[in-house]
Amino acid sequence: MIASADTSIILVNWNGWADVVECIGSLLHLSESPRSIIVVDNASTDGSVSRIEAWCAGEFEHLPQASLPGVICSPRAPADLRWASLDAGAVMPSPLPQVLLLRSSRNTGFAGGNNLGLAVAAAAGCQAHWLLNTDTVVTPRSLVALLQRLDARPSAGAVGSTLAYYWRPAHVQARGGATFHPWTGGAQHLGADGLLSDLPQDPGSTEQACSYIVGASMLITQDWLERVGPMCEDYFLYYEEIDWAERGRQQGYGLAWAPDSLVFHKVGGSSRKRASRLSLRYLYRHRLVFTRRFHPRMSGRVVRAMGRQLVHHALRGHWDDVRELVGAIWAFRREWLVF
């Protein structure tokens, strides 16, 4: 089994320092420590770098937003925390510190940020990499459970956690991953809105239905990274993890779910807001980019499904969705002449 000490944890931040320090505060209580927690700052404009540096230096405390079952979260960094803050591309320390803040000079998106962290971790000899959203907190055995499930499934190159809602902690966001529907270009999280108390004992049936691992918590092996390659940066946001899973499948890898790896994710609760216009643009346009790349024969069906979705949003007055759906469909039609 790959050891926790041979595993990196990678967080990609953009203007979310408060979430980052809360997440790190929970990661410092893992039952077995990773090689390093690598935080990639994607050219934040909210002072994230200085705030994360100050927290790591023990200069202030940040209280968790909620008290969650099984989660231990330090509001202040321990006095003996080993950490460093460096520009991406600088010579990295050996060994890596407990927390490494990598400062990117530009926002390269979710995929680009993760790839920066993966390159550093791979160069340091890590054999597995846990990609984790910054707006999460974890339970102490969450990393060990991922590695144990990976060990039990030798054919798997990636494994997901049980994701629960931070604001509704008894409810499941996803059992590791999701089922992708190529005829609509959409997906459905496995076990969504079920109860944590009702999780199945055997992960096998969930793994069979899994098309990709939800990117909020995804552990991959170094072997996967070397054979499948890094995340595709064409997308910038959305569909990167589906693309990665599809390429992994082409290389013969399976996907796994570790039920006992419990991660709480800050979505779907009292803090939920409607998606920004830019994020909707990435969502709808990248649905068609992915379809054209991996399921070209489904392109017409996906465009028609998005047309029905457009009508749905128009009837409800969701005009940002309508504008971005029209833009995505028009750009795709003009480029590929789907109709």
Side-chain angles (χ1 to χ4, degrees):
M1 186 175 103
I2 297 173
S4 298
D6 292 324
T7 303
S8 71
I9 300 177
I10 299 171
L11 312 175
V12 177
N13 174 61
W14 186 73
N15 290 349
W17 68 266
D19 286 337
V20 171
V21 299
E22 185 175 346
C23 182
I24 296 173
S26 70
L27 290 170
L28 293 177
H29 291 277
L30 289 170
S31 59
E32 295 184 13
S33 298
R35 176 81 58 88
S36 183
I37 301 166
I38 300 173
V39 181
V40 179
D41 185 80
N42 255 343
S44 292
T45 58
D46 69 340
S48 277
V49 167
S50 60
R51 295 297 286 172
I52 295 169
E53 289 173 340
W55 187 86
C56 289
E59 295 176 7
F60 73 95
E61 72 174 30
H62 178 75
L63 295 175
Q65 297 181 56
S67 178
L68 297 168
V71 174
I72 306 170
C73 191
S74 294
R76 186 186 294 271
D80 59 350
L81 180 69
R82 294 181 295 103
W83 68 280
S85 178
L86 297 167
D87 288 332
V91 176
M92 294 295 121
S94 181
L96 294 178
Q98 287 175 273
V99 178
L100 173 63
L101 178 59
L102 284 180
R103 306 183 300 253
S104 177
S105 60
R106 61 191 182 95
N107 186 353
T108 56
F110 181 70
N114 275 305
N115 286 342
L116 277 176
L118 287 167
V120 169
C126 293
Q127 296 304 303
H129 313 281
W130 187 10
L131 279 57
L132 192 64
N133 271 21
T134 56
D135 61 344
T136 61
V137 292
V138 308
T139 49
R141 283 189 48 80
S142 52
L143 175 56
V144 170
L146 287 169
L147 294 170
Q148 287 176 340
R149 186 58 190 157
L150 199 60
D151 188 55
R153 282 286 312 278
S155 63
V159 57
S161 302
T162 297
L163 292 170
Y165 292 112
Y166 184 98
W167 303 108
R168 294 187 293 138
H171 294 264
V172 173
Q173 180 195 2
R175 296 176 188 166
T179 297
F180 178 74
H181 306 295
W183 53 91
T184 65
Q188 182 178 7
H189 285 179
L190 296 165
D193 289 316
L195 295 175
L196 278 179
S197 58
D198 293 337
L199 286 179
Q201 298 299 310
D202 181 7
S205 60
T206 297
E207 291 172 343
Q208 289 177 2
C210 185
S211 303
Y212 67 94
I213 303 298
V214 175
S217 176
M218 172 171 41
L219 185 136
I220 65 160
T221 63
Q222 177 62 22
D223 185 65
W224 165 293
L225 182 62
E226 291 173 359
R227 291 182 58 192
V228 179
M231 284 185 127
C232 179
E233 298 184 24
D234 295 350
Y235 297 96
F236 190 81
L237 185 66
Y238 298 126
Y239 283 82
E240 309 95 326
E241 67 264 52
I242 311 177
D243 181 291
W244 222 10
E246 193 67 33
R247 288 188 284 135
R249 190 171 294 108
Q250 292 173 353
Q251 292 292 330
Y253 288 105
L255 304 174
W257 167 48
D260 294 334
S261 176
L262 180 56
V263 173
F264 293 94
H265 189 198
K266 296 175 185 174
V267 293
S270 60
S271 65
R272 180 174 57 191
K273 299 177 181 177
R274 282 196 59 78
S276 70
R277 179 87 179 265
L278 183 60
S279 66
L280 289 172
R281 184 171 303 167
Y282 288 133
L283 176 65
Y284 295 135
R285 298 196 180 199
H286 292 166
R287 180 179 300 175
L288 292 169
V289 168
F290 176 82
T291 297
R292 182 66 184 182
R293 184 169 291 174
F294 291 101
H295 304 282
R297 293 184 179 181
M298 293 290 182
S299 295
R301 294 185 65 175
V302 171
V303 169
R304 289 190 288 274
M306 291 174 68
R308 293 190 292 271
Q309 190 177 8
L310 188 158
V311 173
H312 170 87
H313 284 300
L315 291 174
R316 285 156 180 78
H318 300 163
W319 300 116
D320 283 349
D321 290 88
V322 170
R323 293 184 187 97
E324 294 308 327
L325 277 162
V326 168
I329 293 169
W330 177 252
F332 191 75
R333 180 181 181 182
R334 183 177 57 194
E335 184 173 357
W336 300 110
L337 299 176
V338 173
F339 302 132

